[in-house]
Amino acid sequence: MPAQFDLIVFDWDGTLLDSAAAIVHAIQRACEDLGLGTPDDRIARSVIGLGLVDALARVVPGLPSSRHQELAGRYRYHYLARDHELALFDGVPALLDGLSARGHTLAVATGKSRAGLDRALSHTGLGSRFAATRCADESVSKPAPDMVLELMDELSFDPARTLVIGDTTHDLLMARHAGCESVAVTYGAHPLHELLAARPKAHCASVDELTAWLACHA
């Protein structure tokens, strides 16, 4: 069966890397450091996938913009303290290798900074799997379409042949705004009912389920 999608764009945190809990922890500790209280898990999870300053501004909407970088600095301190402990979800390397072997081009669109993604790609050894990547500090943050539009332009693919895979509504809305189909994974940051509201083409509860779906439909 001929491939339906030439370009497959993955989110990183909560989709390929099991990092949602560490992000929530870092957001909560950063807020505590500045005497801002402890945001609950639901609020902290809701902003995963956005650029860091955008995410923190949503968590603490009353914080003056002059203090956003201070809060971001405390977030980075707490996240980096656990960064080395984070691992890929089981089955991710095999998933990516299988897609590449079938001729798909792979890319990443992430809310991480360039420094953060480069560090994660080096730590996990996945850097060579991706033809191109985009980060929130070098493009417009999700759910705007810019990262996907830039990846399609760089790699010469059109929206009808591009699939976005992510664990948040920010990923799915980015795909829709770019004119692309999406697949939601439900093992990451956002709950199923929120993901379904963004109208993905499918939803998968594990990497194994995602691998099987892509083998039949991508």
Side-chain angles (χ1 to χ4, degrees):
M1 182 177 68
Q4 182 175 350
F5 300 104
D6 298 314
L7 175 61
I8 301 180
V9 180
F10 287 91
D11 169 57
W12 184 262
D13 289 303
T15 300
L16 299 178
L17 190 75
D18 187 2
S19 53
I23 293 171
V24 169
H25 171 88
I27 290 172
Q28 291 172 331
R29 301 294 86 76
C31 290
E32 291 169 358
D33 287 351
L34 270 61
L36 302 171
T38 306
D40 66 31
D41 284 9
R42 180 187 61 80
I43 292 172
R45 280 182 171 271
S46 74
V47 301
I48 292 176
L50 299 175
L52 178 57
V53 172
D54 288 345
L56 296 175
R58 291 197 189 193
V59 172
V60 193
L63 187 70
S65 59
S66 59
R67 300 194 70 192
H68 286 170
Q69 288 301 326
E70 180 185 5
L71 183 58
R74 295 312 300 166
Y75 168 87
R76 293 187 187 98
Y77 171 83
H78 290 290
Y79 183 83
L80 290 174
R82 301 179 65 176
D83 194 26
H84 64 285
E85 302 172 1
L86 303 179
L88 298 168
F89 288 104
D90 290 344
V92 163
L95 164 64
L96 300 178
D97 288 345
L99 291 170
S100 295
R102 295 198 297 276
H104 298 285
T105 298
L106 308 181
V108 170
T110 177
K112 299 182 84 65
S113 67
R114 170 52 58 188
L117 180 62
D118 285 350
R119 185 173 59 249
L121 290 172
S122 176
H123 175 69
T124 60
L126 292 187
S128 63
R129 264 72 162 200
F130 302 106
T133 59
R134 282 295 184 282
C135 300
D137 61 350
E138 59 194 15
S139 186
V140 181
S141 180
K142 304 170 187 178
D146 298 56
M147 283 194 271
V148 172
L149 293 175
E150 291 170 12
L151 289 167
M152 291 189 295
D153 182 62
E154 177 179 345
L155 299 170
S156 300
F157 294 113
D158 62 53
R161 304 289 298 177
T162 299
L163 180 70
V164 175
I165 299 173
D167 69 311
T168 72
T169 57
H170 313 307
D171 303 312
L172 308 184
L173 292 174
M174 174 181 66
R176 188 195 301 173
H177 295 155
C180 304
E181 293 280 11
S182 66
V183 170
V185 297
T186 63
Y187 51 79
H190 286 188
L192 177 59
H193 71 276
E194 292 182 7
L195 296 169
L196 291 178
R199 302 199 303 271
K201 188 176 180 69
H203 58 90
C204 301
S206 67
V207 173
D208 285 347
E209 192 173 317
L210 176 63
T211 301
W213 188 92
L214 289 169
C216 294
H217 300 283

